[in-house]
Amino acid sequence: MKGRIATGMVAAWLWVIMPVSASTVVEMSFQDVVDSAELVFEGEVLSVESRQTGPRRIHTIVRFRVLDVIKGDHPGDELELRYLGGEVNGRRMQVTDMEWPEAGESGVYFVESLQRPLVHPLVGWSQGHYRLAADGQGEDRVYTADRQPVAGHAVSDGGLNLMQLGGPPAAVPAGEFKRRVRDLVDGGGPAREAIP
């Protein structure tokens, strides 16, 4: 009996601290990110909460206010996306390189599927996650998930590539970014056209 209890405690302890290895995420062209998304929307993160979703599973639930649907259909004003991993009551499930939007964040999100359970709900993980932040004049500008400005980018076969030509780039306005995404959804223009 003592052996079973000790084995159970070791197994529980390993589960709490063991990270889950993630699959390799392939770099995608921006056109492929757009094409692979079932839903693209501008939204604001209302809450981020980790929940126990199975005997050995934890998911982090990110709840969004949907402000503008750019591609696909979503009938409601709110949307929840599930990311594998998180922490509940001292138990932690960690997926390598997993990041989710932060509470209060605004952005443009490229959702791979609303029906299928995925480790990460966004296309290409961070490749489908763009943050919005207001500039000095109050206009929203677009940044990558790791807070790099989307400016002077070219939509190319290798994805969105930073083209820094002297000095730090200014981030593209959100309206211009969304217009370009809509153009790509509608087939308007080659994938290599630059985002101004």
Side-chain angles (χ1 to χ4, degrees):
M1 182 69 168
K2 286 184 181 181
R4 284 186 186 169
I5 293 172
T7 302
M9 289 176 64
V10 168
W13 180 76
L14 287 174
W15 178 77
V16 169
I17 63 167
M18 186 179 355
V20 176
S21 295
S23 300
T24 302
V25 179
V26 176
E27 185 176 350
M28 304 170 73
S29 72
F30 191 63
Q31 180 71 60
D32 287 342
V33 171
V34 173
D35 291 345
S36 298
E38 177 182 324
L39 176 69
V40 180
F41 72 98
E42 177 186 352
E44 176 186 355
V45 178
L46 299 173
S47 65
V48 178
E49 177 188 2
S50 294
R51 297 181 195 156
Q52 189 81 38
T53 55
R56 298 188 62 172
R57 266 194 316 264
I58 295 174
H59 280 88
T60 295
I61 313 302
V62 180
R63 190 167 56 93
F64 298 87
R65 175 179 295 121
V66 177
L67 302 173
D68 185 15
V69 174
I70 301 163
K71 176 187 178 186
D73 294 310
H74 188 270
D77 294 336
E78 292 186 10
L79 171 69
E80 285 188 353
L81 296 178
R82 294 166 49 119
Y83 295 75
L84 186 62
E87 186 170 342
V88 176
N89 298 326
R91 291 183 173 167
R92 187 173 75 191
M93 183 176 184
Q94 181 178 349
V95 177
T96 306
D97 298 327
M98 175 66 73
E99 293 184 16
W100 43 77
E102 301 168 356
E105 171 186 314
S106 294
V108 177
Y109 307 94
F110 294 72
V111 181
E112 185 171 335
S113 176
L114 294 171
Q115 291 79 33
R116 290 182 294 133
L118 300 167
V119 171
H120 194 296
L122 301 181
V123 175
W125 293 35
S126 65
Q127 296 173 78
H129 179 182
Y130 292 89
R131 298 172 187 266
L132 300 180
D135 63 14
Q137 288 74 42
E139 182 175 23
D140 280 339
R141 301 274 178 171
V142 183
Y143 297 83
T144 62
D146 62 352
R147 294 179 170 82
Q148 297 300 309
V150 174
H153 285 74
V155 180
S156 69
D157 291 336
L160 288 178
N161 298 311
L162 216 78
M163 294 170 39
Q164 296 183 14
L165 303 173
V172 68
E176 186 64 27
F177 182 78
K178 294 190 309 181
R179 179 198 61 78
R180 183 62 185 130
V181 172
R182 285 187 172 103
D183 286 349
L184 291 172
V185 169
D186 295 336
R192 290 183 180 270
E193 181 179 323
I195 295 178

